[in-house]
Amino acid sequence: MTTSGAVIFNPTITQVVYGALRMVGAYASGDNPRPEQISDAKEALDMMLKGWQMDGLLWLKEDVYVALVAAQASYAIGPGSADTVTTDVAGAVAYSQRPTRIYFPRRYTIATEYEVPMADPLSRQEYAALTNKATAGTPVQVFFDPGIATGTLIVWPVPTTATDKIVFTVDRILEDAGDGDNTFDIPPEWSETVKYNLAGRLLPEYPTADVARIEKWAMLLKEKMEGYQRSGESTFFQPAYRGR
């Protein structure tokens, strides 16, 4: 007995959408769903995936570099930004998305190529409480406002030179599902989770479906995948001494 030797299974948008519609009884196996059913399901799919961006999933994380400018405290991150925001330290690959949040800010010194950890990002309240936001010096803290279309990174103190960059980890935006022949902007192991959770989103439109079974498996699969996609390192807690 031999195995296939293949490890390339990665279902298309159409396969998952059809599968979810079939699960809720939208059409019978061997038939095809109506165009309006497919359109409604794709809309629900995109809304669901956009919501999943808030879950802090590992495959959405990447490092972003912001080139500091002397006497400039605020930097736009997102479409149309005039600031130098890239995904590589050399500054060659532009980053034009709006991050939903940022983690682990570091100050990268170009001359030494060292990364110096900074304090955790300031909350809005903590940034508002800074007495002199125009203080000049070497940045040691950042505040990030995600905005709607473009995020804003504010560094403090305001840099006096342009020899450093701020690097941090972001949760990037999930790509839209797009055409039915596309595959997802997610790891293939999430395929079943997507299908069951999409079926769960469609349940109100198909009340004759097996609601309890679909909702149960949608929840269990999502919890399983979220656990798998979390970092495995230990978590340590300590008091915050910022400003005290």
Side-chain angles (χ1 to χ4, degrees):
M1 186 170 119
T2 59
T3 62
S4 69
V7 291
I8 61 173
F9 178 74
N10 192 8
T12 65
I13 307 298
T14 293
Q15 287 176 289
V16 171
V17 167
Y18 276 43
L21 286 168
R22 192 167 57 250
M23 287 173 62
V24 298
Y27 74 104
S29 181
D31 294 333
N32 288 304
R34 299 191 306 274
E36 62 270 22
Q37 291 177 314
I38 297 172
S39 177
D40 291 346
K42 284 186 175 180
E43 181 180 273
L45 174 63
D46 270 325
M47 289 183 177
M48 180 182 76
L49 293 177
K50 292 299 180 185
W52 283 5
Q53 291 171 177
M54 296 182 290
D55 292 343
L57 301 168
L58 287 181
W59 82 81
L60 296 180
K61 299 188 186 303
E62 62 182 330
D63 284 346
V64 171
Y65 295 80
V66 178
L68 296 179
V69 177
Q72 179 177 327
S74 179
Y75 301 82
I77 304 177
S81 172
D83 296 307
T84 303
V85 184
T86 64
T87 58
D88 66 316
V89 68
V93 183
Y95 179 84
S96 59
Q97 293 185 353
R98 174 190 64 89
T100 55
R101 58 171 68 91
I102 70 171
Y103 310 89
F104 323 129
R106 294 94 72 194
R107 178 172 51 82
Y108 176 85
T109 302
I110 297 174
T112 63
E113 299 184 352
Y114 286 170
E115 289 186 7
V116 179
M118 304 173 76
D120 289 338
L122 295 166
S123 68
R124 190 176 299 274
Q125 180 180 2
E126 289 169 331
Y127 177 70
L130 289 177
T131 305
N132 186 356
K133 298 178 176 61
T135 297
T138 299
V140 295
Q141 293 180 302
V142 299
F143 165 65
F144 180 68
D145 181 356
I148 295 177
T150 302
T152 302
L153 180 77
I154 300 177
V155 299
W156 186 88
V158 181
T160 54
T161 68
T163 59
D164 294 341
K165 296 185 178 186
I166 301 297
V167 55
F168 46 82
T169 303
V170 304
D171 282 343
R172 68 171 178 81
I173 303 297
L174 259 174
E175 294 179 11
D176 299 342
D179 187 82
D181 292 331
N182 294 333
T183 53
F184 288 90
D185 181 26
I186 63 173
E189 58 266 23
W190 275 77
S191 302
E192 186 179 30
T193 304
V194 174
K195 184 174 79 169
Y196 268 88
N197 278 268
L198 175 57
R201 296 299 198 280
L202 299 175
L203 285 173
E205 301 181 47
Y206 301 93
T208 59
D210 189 348
V211 174
R213 187 185 301 273
I214 292 173
E215 287 183 337
K216 173 186 174 182
W217 279 103
M219 180 181 68
L220 289 174
L221 288 167
K222 180 92 177 344
E223 289 177 349
K224 177 183 178 181
M225 286 294 99
E226 286 177 334
Y228 174 72
Q229 282 289 332
R230 291 192 183 100
S231 298
E233 65 269 12
S234 301
T235 301
F236 298 92
F237 297 91
Q238 64 182 33
Y241 296 102
R242 182 188 298 146
R244 292 178 175 85

